[in-house]
Amino acid sequence: MKWGRAAIAAGLVLLLSGCVAKYNPLFVGGGSSTPVIGWRDCPGATHDGVAELGLYAGAAEPTVDDPGELIWHIKATPGNLSKRISIGETPEGFATLLPMTTQLRSGTTYALRTNMSPDDPASGFVTFRPEQLAGGQVVFGNGNEESPSDYRSRDDEDFGCFAG
């Protein structure tokens, strides 16, 4: 409950200060054969990362409220967060709630919905197609893709990382 109040307070501060993130910190990269879910590092941030993750397929135009059919679901045990997770693998400190039983298919749009804490309804959301990851591209936001170096060079404030 403490995290939920902290997230609400942080959101109110950003809203009232006029600072709004252009993108959420969630991204997918690592190539089409070994896709990895990542959470952008915000300098100086604590308790920052993924605590719960769902991978969805089947929606024509996935949204955070209607992402499609859940095909993989993992959740961290208390006190664990991760900033890098290979799709289909359960990292140490996480439990598998729904194992992934299918391979990612080219031409299919997938949605990732993540939480930073059990109290968050959805703190990260991104859609991607496996072919977008070819050549090492990074996919973020609403299916935006670019090279890892271009992604890293983006202003941290675009992702909600605001200097204190």
Side-chain angles (χ1 to χ4, degrees), residues 112-155:
L112 287 166
R113 190 165 63 177
T114 63
N115 298 330
M116 287 176 63
S117 80
D119 298 333
D120 290 336
S123 54
F125 182 77
V126 68
T127 61
F128 72 98
R129 292 180 323 281
E131 60 270 19
Q132 289 180 285
L133 303 173
Q137 293 289 88
V138 173
V139 180
F140 63 100
N142 193 19
N144 301 341
E145 62 183 83
E146 61 190 17
S147 72
S149 61
D150 287 345
Y151 178 79
R152 281 190 302 275
S153 69
R154 282 186 172 273
D155 190 324

Side-chain angles (χ1 to χ4, degrees), residues 4 24 30 40 44 51 56 58 62-63 65-66 75-76 82-83 101 104 113-114 118 121 130 134 136 140 159 161-162:
N24 67 64
R40 187 174 176 101
Y56 300 81
T63 65
D65 295 323
D66 185 16
K75 187 173 185 175
S82 183
K83 291 189 180 189
T101 60
L104 298 181
R113 190 165 63 177
T114 63
F140 63 100
F159 298 89
C161 302
F162 299 101

Side-chain angles (χ1 to χ4, degrees), residues 18-152:
C19 298
V20 178
K22 192 173 186 179
Y23 309 104
N24 67 64
L26 184 66
F27 67 89
V28 182
S32 56
S33 63
T34 57
V36 173
I37 298 152
W39 191 263
R40 187 174 176 101
D41 293 321
C42 284
T46 58
H47 309 294
D48 194 22
V50 174
E52 185 175 5
L53 178 130
L55 177 65
Y56 300 81
E61 293 183 29
T63 65
V64 71
D65 295 323
D66 185 16
E69 178 187 351
L70 183 62
I71 62 171
W72 180 50
H73 188 193
I74 61 173
K75 187 173 185 175
T77 56
N80 289 302
L81 293 175
S82 183
K83 291 189 180 189
R84 302 291 181 270
I85 299 171
S86 295
I87 290 182
E89 296 179 16
T90 303
E92 187 175 326
F94 280 68
T96 301
L97 303 177
L98 177 65
M100 190 163 167
T101 60
T102 183
Q103 296 287 344
L104 298 181
R105 296 180 311 274
S106 183
T108 299
T109 299
Y110 294 91
L112 287 166
R113 190 165 63 177
T114 63
N115 298 330
M116 287 176 63
S117 80
D119 298 333
D120 290 336
S123 54
F125 182 77
V126 68
T127 61
F128 72 98
R129 292 180 323 281
E131 60 270 19
Q132 289 180 285
L133 303 173
Q137 293 289 88
V138 173
V139 180
F140 63 100
N142 193 19
N144 301 341
E145 62 183 83
E146 61 190 17
S147 72
S149 61
D150 287 345
Y151 178 79
R152 281 190 302 275

